[in-house]
Amino acid sequence: MANLGINHVTKSFGSLAVLKDIKISIEDGEFLVLVGPSGCGKSTLLSIIAGLEEHTSGTITIDGRPVDDLEPKERDIAMVFQSYALYPAMTVEQNIGFSLEMSKMPKAERVERVSKVADLLQISHLLKRRPGQLSGGQRQRVAMGRALVREPKIFLFDEPLSNLDAKLRVEMRTEIKRLHQRLGATIVYVTHDQIEAMTMATRIAVMKDGVLQQFGTPEDIYDRPANVFVATFMGSPPMNLLPATVVDGASGPRLSLKGADVTLPLPSSVTARLEPGSDVLLGLRPEWLSLAAEEVSANPMLTLHVDVIEPTGPDVFVALRAGEREIMARLPTGTPIRSGEKRAFALDLSKAVVFDAGTGIAH
Amino acid sequence: MTPSKRLQAALPAFVLSPSLAAIAICVYGFIAYTALLSFTGSKMFARFDFVGLRQYERLFDNPRWITAVENMAIFGGLYVVVATCLGLYIAILIDQKIRLEGVFRAIFLYPMALSFVVTGVIWQWLLNPGLGLEHMVRSLGWQSFTFQWLVDPDWAIYTIVIAGVWQVAGFVMALFLAGLRGVDTEILRAARIDGAPIHKVYTRIVIPALRPVFLTAFVIEAHLAIKSYDLVVALTKGGPGVSTELPSTFMYSMTFTRNELGVGAASATVMLTSLAAIIVPYLYAELRDDRRA
């Protein structure tokens, strides 16, 4: 187990830069999730950490030691692949023990290590089978066993759950997290699924077009997104972005929402001084809207047209309309609301985020 | 059923019936006829005086047939083994993400486009001591160089192996290349992380995964070997003497030039049954897999 440093790593194919100056470092025992849309470079970054691909410049350190010139097998890492990449002609036992065999470990010790891992993953009864005879979930476990048996410093996971059905994916998610807690292992995990990222990570790195957008704890990423991309990529339904203009008010600057005759106080999260007249985007998570009670609430209010109601079970997603603009709200099930109504909604601005309308960066 | 619907239902059977009839008569009918003849005393013409297994006894008493069967074992065994290994080796080399891969693939596949007769003639010239390789090396100055396999009764059969392998290896390469391309690249990445050196990657992971391709290659090569006739005729005409006689050339000369129709039919029947022994289990396995999938 070890810490991992990614220092100013870039990767380009000719003139095409796929990773631009990536800088991430995590401590021993952390669970780092690299998340982003497809083509953002997250899998390339993972391959570079593994040593399967070379980077153009920068340094990777494992346990404080640069590993840039080391072969994958010398980096003391293990990897779980998206397609599991099990060796088809070998039994489960041979698959799990293959790396130990390659490092010339004596057979007795090998068998013991394999059976220990098989017990941990509850696949002892499958050891004599071949991958072709296993279900998707069982293959996933074998792939994890192959990584665990090496007892590496760092585990790398490349979208390991994307080939499983929804139910199994949730189960395996919990299981991987449990393994992480139990082993205290350092893990780097690549996914395009923001829910996986939020649920499993201790650190999240959000990437887009080869650029690191934000690196922080799940709470940081969710509550204090660094820019519009992170705000809308993380969270489902995504954060609402309402165009507004900064205006002068009696007690400091206020926000005047476009297309609605309302001004709102500046959220407390904003530390920068905003020039009156500048265009901004007010970021509101759907759960920060609530149906206003009859009496005047302490929170600012907006009157909105109820367009579509989508019950999900525990919550109701409500598509609201303010002129041209659509706003999603997340309300508890049982909220008395019907489509076609005009209702007043209270806004919890305590966590609201304000972005520059031009650059998309949070103020 | 309306008349038009009835016509529609009958149409496929109607269209297929001529070729079905042709196959039934010209293939299976004549197979049965040959098998029948092998139990008769036919000489120059077919006669139906049944003599039991007499012709089979005569066949296996004939030293020329024994030579043919021994040659078949040498030629067939070497042809299958060498062509498989060479095809696999070329396929592995071509699979290394080389430049101009398409060009190399075409070059190696080209011999398959030639008929066996052309292959035989080309190699006859190449191996002919007075014309080909030996002549060329000597004209370059190495006067004592000899390469006379083609005219040496003990070695002539190996020239047929060379020509046959040259022709089929490219095709076997194409089979294996398709198999290699089917191996998930993530498996190769996983093997790198597991620390497997490149030869272990092939011997432990990739080649075992190609088992179905080996089976296909074996069946194709085996049946080509057993039925090869024109290659021998063009290259050595069964000679020197009878040293490169194969069952197929034996069958031809018995049936059509030596007036031993019964013996010829018996040898044809032996060849058919040995081919069937290879092909039928293969077909059975393939068809069963299809049904499962």
Side-chain angles (χ1 to χ4, degrees), chain B residues 90-111:
Chain B
I90 300 172
I92 288 174
L93 292 185
I94 286 197
D95 195 37
Q96 306 302 314
K97 297 197 179 81
I98 56 164
R99 240 179 246 231
L100 298 178
E101 182 197 312
V103 175
F104 283 108
R105 242 174 15 206
I107 289 175
F108 286 117
L109 260 178
Y110 243 118

Side-chain angles (χ1 to χ4, degrees), chain A residues 125-197:
Chain A
H125 59 297
L126 304 174
L127 284 178
K128 297 292 171 209
R129 297 214 201 152
R130 285 177 202 282
Q133 301 164 306
L134 304 180
S135 69
Q138 289 169 335
R139 282 181 212 185
Q140 168 70 60
R141 281 167 190 274
V142 175
M144 280 176 35
R146 206 166 60 176
L148 286 172
V149 80
R150 304 182 59 174
E151 299 173 7
K153 284 184 177 152
I154 297 181
F155 288 96
L156 308 175
F157 288 85
D158 188 5
E159 308 214 23
L161 304 184
S162 55
N163 288 344
L164 299 177
D165 63 54
K167 184 169 172 287
L168 207 50
R169 189 160 17 183
V170 174
E171 279 175 30
M172 289 306 293
R173 204 164 74 192
T174 315
E175 190 142 343
I176 292 175
K177 192 156 182 175
R178 188 177 295 134
L179 268 175
H180 172 243
Q181 287 173 357
R182 190 161 151 191
L183 302 173
T186 311
I187 294 178
V188 182
Y189 187 106
V190 162
T191 181
H192 61 268
D193 181 346
Q194 48 95 14
I195 296 184
E196 265 176 39

Side-chain angles (χ1 to χ4, degrees), chain B residues 156-237:
Chain B
I157 187 71
Y158 298 101
T159 62
I160 298 179
V161 176
I162 293 173
V165 167
W166 175 81
Q167 175 155 44
V168 83
F171 178 68
V172 178
M173 177 274 294
L175 285 179
F176 278 115
L177 191 57
L180 287 172
R181 291 289 149 84
V183 174
D184 186 356
T185 51
E186 282 201 337
I187 287 182
L188 302 179
R189 286 156 65 96
R192 260 186 83 189
I193 289 198
D194 277 351
I198 188 78
H199 66 276
K200 284 263 161 93
V201 173
Y202 278 102
T203 56
R204 295 290 309 277
I205 298 165
V206 176
I207 294 177
L210 296 179
R211 231 195 81 207
V213 186
F214 275 97
L215 188 65
T216 307
F218 171 73
V219 168
I220 290 174
E221 291 159 351
H223 93 268
L224 281 177
I226 292 179
K227 75 178 192 192
S228 58
Y229 167 77
D230 23 13
L231 186 64
V232 180
V233 168
L235 190 61
T236 64
K237 303 197 172 52

